[in-house]
Amino acid sequence: MLVLQNVSFALPNKDLLFAKLSLTVNPQDKIALIGNNGVGKSTLLKIIQGELSPTGGFLKVDTEPYFIPQIFGQYDHLTVAQALGVSNKIIALKEILEGKATEENFTLLAEDWTIEERCIEALKEWQLGGMMLRQKLERLSGGQKTKVFLAGISIHQPKLVLMDEPSNHLDTFGRQLLYEFVQSTSSTLLLVSHNRKLLNLMNQVAELSKGGITVYGGNYDFYLKQKEIARNALCHDIQENEKALRKAKEKEQETLERQQRRAYRGKKKQEKAGMPRIAMNQMRNNAEKSTAKFKNVHADKLGGISQELQELRAELPGMDKMKFGFDHSTLHKGKILFSAKAINFCYTTPFLWDENLNFQICSGERIAIKGLNGSGKTTLIKLILGDLEPQVGTVYRANNKSVYIDQHYSLIDTQLKVIEQAQQYNVSGLQEHEIKTRLSRFLFPKEFWDKPCSALSGGERMRLLLCCLTITCQSPDIIVLDEPTNNLDIQNSEILTSAINEYQGTLLVVSHDEYFLDQVNIERNIFC
């Protein structure tokens, strides 16, 4: 159904994004395409879809793929019908029903007389009942836009479906519908995602890296087990090489000391025996040559072991190189930070919530704020942080230091360079070399320091922000995460999880990612 052979792609600046990728996708395969941010997963989907052309290699697709893109507002100018790819048919149908029975309209409609009914039914299946086909996407939430594209699967019945982060903006019910579709469909699926639950519904995992594509015959949990086996083997190889390097250095030192002792004893014997100076010089030169030859042999051996050790260490995942240093909040655990009594809010009538909200937040708690798309979760965060005031009810806010981290990591100033951004958080007077050490700890080596923040990926911005938080003299009392994993690959999601689990303050999270919520030890939920 789909064959890639030695496919390469170069960016507009001629930099090679990937090279010699090979992959075979058979009918009814369900394959998860994973890899770190920036490795080229979305680009590869666009090549298979036909939006981009490879710069080298061979690509064969036996059927027209249906593509569900990541949603960033790039389709806001389209109507629902245009996004679904049925606009021309709908227009032709309406003109025929109005009496304009032209040959062109019949050709466009292709006897698909039920197209409008099927569109309405498909939208209803994805919780979009009542949506007009002429409605513009700019008026829809990110989750609703994704559902529009998902509805197109029912309409077009494609044999091959490509999905790029389909669950990012979906609420809990939308995700459940997606899981049910994936489990029941007979279509071939190739999807990019960091959603663990979705990845575990796949029957193969294809890992894209600088070395190419590696396919694992199982779901994501199976892939993790295989990676753990490989990682353990890598760590064992590193330990063995470290041991070999120590032994080689000890052997070199012992041999040199033995040669020196032997040479010293030989010289004393020669002097005692009255050997001519010219003969003594010749023997000394021979000994020096022998020692130099020995040193060269050992230098080559040590260099080889050191090089192999360096290469093995370079293969270690970033998580194993990174160390965190989150400080703790100074607020005592259990202190009431926020209290709401019968609050509500509206931008226009009616109020956001059918019932007024009553709750409180105490220091040290880990809370998830939950609700459907458009239910007012971000508004509630603004009320908690004091950016908005309720129009009904009362609130109490204790003095605290809070940090609000959204899915785009907007606290990062895109006008600054990486080193400049880090220095902005240096309120404790750290020396420049200390800041650079912390940047390196968060996987920003020297070549990143003068890079503009605008060029960083979502995962890189997240790591830079975590680094900046460790540079400040005091940890925030409250960290608020608003859909933090939407633009992160799996590795960076794990980095964020590890960092948050070291944080001892109050945590508020808005997320539909149940795996992430479980991993950061959420204790209770606030529903809106």
Side-chain angles (χ1 to χ4, degrees), residues 47-78:
I47 289 174
I48 295 170
Q49 180 211 1
E51 182 178 338
L52 295 174
S53 298
T55 51
F58 171 77
L59 169 67
K60 179 184 178 184
V61 186
D62 290 340
T63 184
E64 183 176 356
Y66 182 82
F67 184 51
I68 297 178
Q70 285 198 65
I71 302 297
F72 297 117
Q74 70 273 44
Y75 302 100
D76 284 355
H77 63 287
L78 300 178

Side-chain angles (χ1 to χ4, degrees), residues 470-517:
T470 67
I471 290 172
T472 58
C473 60
Q474 182 184 344
S475 177
D477 301 311
I478 302 174
I479 291 181
V480 181
L481 302 175
D482 193 351
E483 297 291 1
T485 61
N486 270 9
N487 297 313
L488 300 184
D489 58 29
I490 293 169
Q491 182 192 44
N492 282 303
S493 292
E494 291 174 348
I495 289 171
L496 176 61
T497 300
S498 296
I500 291 301
N501 283 337
E502 290 189 17
Y503 170 67
Q504 299 299 311
T506 307
L507 181 68
L508 304 179
V509 185
V510 175
S511 179
H512 298 296
D513 188 339
E514 293 295 333
Y515 182 85
F516 176 74
L517 294 177

Side-chain angles (χ1 to χ4, degrees), residues 3 69 79 126 203 210 307 329 370 396 426:
V3 177
T79 65
W126 289 96
N203 54 33
K210 292 181 180 179
Q307 177 65 28
S329 169
K370 292 191 171 184
Y396 161 78
N426 185 22

Side-chain angles (χ1 to χ4, degrees), residues 182-343:
V182 168
Q183 288 176 300
S184 62
T185 185
S186 59
S187 295
T188 303
L189 302 181
L190 180 62
L191 69 84
V192 172
S193 180
H194 62 266
N195 181 326
R196 298 292 188 97
K197 188 169 183 178
L198 185 55
L199 293 175
N200 272 330
L201 299 177
M202 301 293 107
N203 54 33
Q204 292 184 61
V205 172
E207 183 181 33
L208 178 59
S209 66
K210 292 181 180 179
I213 293 180
T214 304
V215 178
Y216 298 82
N219 65 9
Y220 188 73
D221 282 346
F222 175 82
Y223 158 81
L224 286 180
K225 291 176 183 176
Q226 298 304 305
K227 293 294 284 188
E228 181 66 18
I229 292 171
R231 182 184 176 281
N232 290 339
L234 175 61
C235 290
H236 179 265
D237 288 346
I238 289 174
Q239 291 172 355
E240 290 300 310
N241 273 264
E242 288 173 339
K243 188 186 300 182
L245 187 61
R246 285 195 304 271
K247 287 184 176 180
K249 288 180 177 179
E250 291 170 359
K251 179 69 173 178
E252 179 188 37
Q253 186 63 30
E254 290 174 2
T255 305
L256 282 173
E257 290 175 356
R258 189 164 54 248
Q259 284 187 340
Q260 288 169 354
R261 289 194 298 269
R262 188 182 301 124
Y264 178 78
R265 288 195 299 268
K267 182 180 178 182
K268 290 298 183 182
K269 286 182 180 179
Q270 293 160 8
E271 291 174 348
K272 189 174 181 180
M275 184 176 290
R277 182 174 297 274
I278 188 169
M280 289 177 62
N281 288 341
Q282 180 64 40
M283 293 183 70
R284 186 181 67 248
N285 290 338
N286 291 339
E288 289 175 353
K289 288 179 181 178
S290 176
T291 300
K293 183 178 179 181
F294 169 80
K295 285 183 176 180
N296 288 336
V297 170
H298 264 266
D300 290 342
K301 182 177 181 180
L302 288 173
I305 297 174
S306 296
Q307 177 65 28
E308 186 175 354
L309 184 58
Q310 185 176 350
E311 291 172 356
L312 287 170
R313 284 174 174 162
E315 294 178 28
L316 279 174
M319 280 288 294
D320 291 340
K321 303 172 188 174
M322 191 179 304
K323 302 295 181 184
F324 300 105
F326 271 131
D327 202 353
H328 298 324
S329 169
T330 57
L331 296 178
H332 69 81
K333 194 163 185 176
K335 176 182 173 65
I336 297 176
L337 300 181
F338 180 86
S339 178
K341 293 184 178 179
I343 66 169

Side-chain angles (χ1 to χ4, degrees), residues 309-404:
L309 184 58
Q310 185 176 350
E311 291 172 356
L312 287 170
R313 284 174 174 162
E315 294 178 28
L316 279 174
M319 280 288 294
D320 291 340
K321 303 172 188 174
M322 191 179 304
K323 302 295 181 184
F324 300 105
F326 271 131
D327 202 353
H328 298 324
S329 169
T330 57
L331 296 178
H332 69 81
K333 194 163 185 176
K335 176 182 173 65
I336 297 176
L337 300 181
F338 180 86
S339 178
K341 293 184 178 179
I343 66 169
N344 217 320
F345 188 88
C346 68
Y347 294 98
T348 59
T349 57
F351 283 107
L352 273 175
W353 305 300
D354 294 336
E355 297 183 3
N356 296 339
L357 303 182
N358 296 276
F359 63 90
Q360 68 178 25
I361 297 171
C362 295
S363 177
E365 286 194 292
R366 295 191 162 223
I367 301 171
I369 298 176
K370 292 191 171 184
L372 300 178
N373 291 339
S375 63
K377 298 185 292 297
T378 300
T379 297
L380 183 56
I381 286 175
K382 292 179 179 179
L383 288 167
I384 294 171
L385 296 179
D387 297 330
L388 292 175
E389 294 296 333
Q391 292 156 336
V392 173
T394 60
V395 297
Y396 161 78
R397 300 184 189 93
N399 289 331
N400 65 78
K401 179 184 177 183
S402 61
V403 173
Y404 174 64

